[in-house]
Amino acid sequence: MLDKAATLFHAQGYHATGLNQLLSEGGLPKGSLYFHFPGGKEQLAVEALAISGGHVCQLLRETLAAAPDPASALRTAIDELGRVLTESDYRQGCPLSTVALDAAADSEPIRLACAEGFGSWQAVIEEALTGAGLDAKKAASLATVTVSSVTGALILARTQRDLAPLHAVANHLCATLDKELS
């Protein structure tokens, strides 16, 4: 149920994803939603956002661990996000942004779940940048710029149905990282 909810919220947002759709696509009877999620759809969304945010966090960790430098890792992660976007026919961009834009202003638990997800991505990038030799303040700033740029590029790529914004952001961020780390 959580995986299906994460996919639906990722593609459609919070308000466009109805309980009946969640139940039918999750293959659950109606009573089971409130049994497992007494907070209803909002609780389900918060837990699904944690899963979605965790997937990107894991992607970042794995690519940073496997790559020779942070810029190479970032390009690999951006390429993977672009692959997901195109394979979903431009329905699945940033797994948190759709819900953040749709519901974070109306729901404190959803806002906090989105903030936690974005924050975890920033923390992973910041840690990699400090490990590569940047001072903590500059690493924190570049991590914020990186997450903001990539999420914005995913929104543009999704609406334009074109990966060009992602490629432009990847090129710019990688050049910046190479310069800062040399």
Side-chain angles (χ1 to χ4, degrees):
M1 179 68 174
L2 280 169
D3 288 333
K4 181 52 74 175
T7 299
L8 290 170
F9 289 133
H10 184 174
Q12 299 174 178
Y14 180 75
H15 293 298
T17 304
L19 286 177
N20 288 334
Q21 181 184 21
L22 287 164
L23 291 169
S24 70
E25 293 199 24
L28 296 173
K30 197 169 206 163
S32 66
L33 175 73
Y34 291 104
F35 177 78
H36 294 289
F37 304 98
K41 181 180 170 184
E42 182 178 58
Q43 180 186 357
L44 178 61
V46 166
E47 292 185 32
L49 288 166
I51 289 172
S52 295
H55 288 311
V56 173
C57 198
Q58 186 63 28
L59 168 68
L60 290 170
R61 280 192 188 102
E62 289 172 2
T63 56
L64 285 161
D69 56 75
S72 299
L74 180 61
R75 188 170 299 280
T76 299
I78 290 172
D79 287 347
E80 176 61 17
L81 293 169
R83 184 192 62 74
V84 170
L85 184 61
T86 57
E87 286 182 2
S88 70
D89 194 30
Y90 291 89
R91 295 183 52 80
Q92 294 185 333
C94 173
L96 302 180
S97 293
T98 305
V99 174
L101 294 169
D102 186 30
D106 301 324
S107 167
E108 185 65 4
I110 288 174
R111 184 195 70 74
L112 290 171
C114 290
E116 186 174 315
F118 289 130
S120 72
W121 304 348
Q122 287 174 245
V124 168
I125 295 167
E126 183 178 344
E127 180 181 323
L129 295 176
T130 56
L134 280 185
D135 70 80
K137 187 174 181 179
K138 185 165 271 196
S141 177
L142 274 173
T144 298
V145 168
T146 299
V147 171
S148 300
S149 298
V150 173
T151 57
L154 283 165
I155 292 169
L156 287 175
R158 186 174 179 185
T159 57
Q160 295 173 4
R161 299 183 63 77
D162 185 351
L163 294 180
L166 271 177
H167 296 308
V169 164
N171 291 338
H172 183 75
L173 288 173
C174 289
T176 301
L177 290 174
D178 285 340
K179 180 181 173 188
E180 291 293 333
L181 294 171
S182 61

